[in-house]
Amino acid sequence: MSKKSNNKTIKFKSNKERVSYLLKLFEKKDRVLIVIWADPDSLASALAFKRILQNRVEKVTIANINEITRLNNKVMVEVLKIPLVKYCPRLLEEHDKFVLVDSQPSHREEFKNISWDVVIDHHPLFSEIEAKYYDIRPDYGATATILYEYLKTLKIKPSVYLATALVYGIKTDTSNFEKSANIHDVMAFQNLYKHMNKHLLSKIESSSLRRSELRYFKIALDQLKFRKNRMFTYVGKVSNTDVLVLIADFLNKVYETSWVFVGGEYKKVLTIIIRCDGYRKNAGKMANKLFKDIGSAGGHREKARAEIPFANLSTPPEQFNTDKLIKLFDKYFKLIDKKEKEKVKE
């Protein structure tokens, strides 16, 4: 792992060196703002970073950019008592150090105009990061695992709430160790498990779907279309984008499918959730390649997300449908299919 300081790359031989360098960036008088796109991994990671800075700085605030609409995430914040404030530009004036966890400055428009001191993430690096310290580990299944290693290095025993948050963050981002996990994630989970509360975890995990959201599943199934082993569906206007994630994860269980694309409209923005089996595929790179110039996009090999303002598309939201969704990927898959045919001929 390497970090940049004054345009020089610093290489660390151990977590001890890494954490020592990180902590030297903070002083007792600092007011630190941790910014997140709130999901289980980012919430857990932010809570861990706040614990690391406890008694080392004057103030630590965790601010979420997005509205928290997914029921699991709301319950997580509530039962684990995660202190959150809604992000607004005024917070930049009230703080003097800025930390981004479980994301990168290029991932969202709101992140691009902040001068970051620290960036810690496990997503693939899509563009150069300008920060005093950054730790990007795409081979890790969760950012929560990286923060656990920081805690361990500092000999900080996590509280029941923090341990439960970190376990849930690791479980969700590795899909219960079915995808995108390595030995570090397994070891972190194993060590955190003895400090967590299984009843709190069960309460969070069992709260996943509202009755009112069932109708979106019916629409998704009615509008579903197959192209080879690829599944596409456009749900239309949704009350929150998290329901698109639930639908995509549900459809991804279908045996005869290697790609899943679920689209929906939220606040005049087309959100596309992408899932695949990750075998000789990379959903994150594909999303970034197709949509980086007209919206925000990125993710992992097996899952990705793209958000494109309808103002950047030729089709208005009221005319958009599953066929239009398929067309967004036509050129990409025609090229892929052509390459596969050429390989067969060889």
Side-chain angles (χ1 to χ4, degrees), residues 127-325:
S127 61
E128 187 175 350
I129 292 176
E130 293 295 331
K132 294 176 183 175
Y133 173 97
Y134 66 84
D135 189 353
I136 309 298
R137 308 189 198 182
D139 56 323
Y140 276 51
T143 304
T145 300
I146 303 173
L147 268 297
Y148 161 73
E149 291 187 356
Y150 286 13
L151 292 169
K152 183 182 177 183
T153 300
L154 292 166
K155 294 183 170 57
I156 296 174
K157 179 183 175 181
S159 67
V160 170
Y161 287 157
L162 177 54
T164 305
L166 290 167
V167 164
Y168 184 53
I170 293 169
K171 286 189 72 178
T172 53
D173 263 37
T174 63
S175 298
N176 284 314
F177 295 96
E178 292 177 5
K179 298 175 180 177
S180 300
N182 66 19
I183 188 62
H184 300 286
D185 300 297
V186 176
M187 291 175 66
F189 180 89
Q190 185 179 39
N191 291 322
L192 287 163
Y193 190 80
K194 56 192 173 189
H195 299 297
M196 59 155 274
N197 185 302
K198 63 181 181 180
H199 301 294
L200 291 175
L201 182 63
S202 177
K203 186 171 184 179
I204 297 167
E205 291 185 315
S206 63
S207 307
S208 57
L209 189 64
R210 298 176 181 84
R211 186 172 66 179
S212 61
E213 293 171 337
L214 289 173
R215 62 192 177 97
Y216 295 120
F217 280 78
K218 183 179 186 304
I219 295 170
L221 292 173
D222 288 342
Q223 301 302 317
L224 195 63
K225 292 192 176 184
F226 292 87
R227 292 294 183 272
K228 294 191 174 181
N229 56 350
R230 300 154 195 152
M231 196 181 295
F232 299 84
T233 187
Y234 181 70
V235 182
K237 188 177 290 187
V238 293
S239 57
N240 65 79
T241 59
D242 293 315
V243 72
L244 302 176
V245 176
L246 294 174
I247 294 169
D249 288 339
F250 171 74
L251 294 176
N252 200 36
K253 298 178 187 296
V254 177
Y255 173 66
E256 300 92 343
T257 303
S258 59
W259 285 97
V260 172
F261 302 89
V262 178
E265 179 208 343
Y266 182 68
K267 294 184 177 179
K268 301 295 183 182
V269 173
L270 170 63
T271 296
I272 305 171
I273 305 300
I274 305 169
R275 296 290 184 265
C276 72
D277 56 24
Y279 177 66
R280 296 171 65 183
K281 305 175 184 69
N282 194 311
K285 284 186 178 179
M286 178 184 72
N288 186 259
K289 180 180 180 180
L290 290 176
F291 305 118
K292 66 178 179 180
D293 294 330
I294 56 173
S296 59
H300 302 281
R301 292 187 65 87
E302 301 93 353
K303 53 187 179 181
R305 180 189 188 108
E307 293 186 354
I308 310 150
F310 271 100
N312 295 341
L313 297 171
S314 58
T315 306
E318 59 273 13
Q319 294 178 18
F320 204 86
N321 54 32
T322 301
D323 287 328
K324 301 289 186 183
L325 178 65

